[in-house]
Amino acid sequence: MKRFANLLVAGGVVLGLALASATANAQSATPTPAAVAAAKELLELKKAAGMYASIVPNIVQRTKDVLVQSNLNYQKDLNEVAIKVAKDLAGSEKAVGEEMAKIYATDFTEKELKDLVAFYKTPLGAKLLEREPHTIQSSLAAMNKWAQSFSETVNGKFRAEMRARGKQI
């Protein structure tokens, strides 16, 4: 039985290494410009820019806050500089979108990306785009509710087992 378990572990390690190698090879390939373009279209349909739209002002604000902590007497100047820096760097967040497109174009083939774009343009795909944020939010809420309830069950089991051992916790 122990030998069988060792074979299973060894097989799992070999499978894991093979999958890691395949993933690394797929990710090291340079995506084609057409694949990147399809990925950009997909990300546009998915309104991905909304995820990182406020990244520049947020980073400027955090940086200003850190600088103000150690330079309280420059607070007025730092507030003014923050506005200028945010204005000067507006649009820099587009680099995030470029990187996301490259990642999608590396993880999916050009055909797969075009198929996804075509799907999201169908009525069902459009509905998925519209409803998915709500569905994910509701799913996370349900998962958290279940986890809370299950945690109480686990806690009860621990307490019962400890009582059975004559120990109150």
Side-chain angles (χ1 to χ4, degrees):
M1 187 65 165
K2 186 175 180 181
R3 183 169 183 222
F4 180 70
N6 288 340
L7 284 173
L8 281 176
V9 170
V13 169
V14 169
L15 180 61
L17 289 172
L19 289 173
S21 174
T23 301
N25 288 338
Q27 291 179 346
S28 66
T30 303
T32 65
V36 173
K40 285 180 181 179
E41 186 176 3
L42 175 64
L43 291 168
E44 186 178 317
L45 287 168
K46 292 177 71 75
K47 296 177 178 38
M51 290 189 305
Y52 57 84
S54 62
I55 195 168
V56 170
N58 288 345
I59 291 172
V60 169
Q61 181 66 40
R62 281 196 312 253
T63 303
K64 182 199 78 164
D65 292 345
V66 168
L67 292 171
V68 165
Q69 286 177 2
S70 56
N71 301 283
L72 285 174
N73 48 332
Y74 295 142
Q75 186 168 2
K76 180 182 179 290
D77 292 305
L78 289 167
N79 286 336
E80 293 168 0
V81 168
I83 293 167
K84 182 183 183 324
V85 169
K87 183 179 175 185
D88 291 347
L89 298 176
S92 297
E93 71 279 355
K94 290 182 176 97
V96 174
E98 292 292 324
E99 287 303 311
M100 287 177 70
K102 288 177 188 172
I103 291 167
Y104 268 79
T106 301
D107 288 349
F108 296 92
T109 67
E110 180 182 339
K111 181 183 180 332
E112 289 169 336
L113 290 165
K114 287 180 177 179
D115 288 348
L116 284 167
V117 167
F119 168 72
Y120 282 123
K121 288 182 176 180
T122 66
L124 178 59
K127 181 177 181 179
L128 177 63
L129 287 172
E130 178 189 331
R131 298 298 303 157
E132 191 170 38
H134 174 266
T135 303
I136 290 170
Q137 185 179 22
S138 296
S139 297
L140 288 173
M143 184 174 60
N144 287 334
K145 183 178 177 183
W146 178 88
Q148 179 63 38
S149 174
F150 187 70
S151 177
E152 292 169 12
T153 300
V154 171
N155 188 358
K157 290 277 191 185
F158 265 89
R159 291 181 182 279
E161 287 296 323
M162 292 302 286
R163 268 193 309 274
R165 294 174 181 218
K167 300 176 181 169
Q168 293 296 323
I169 58 169

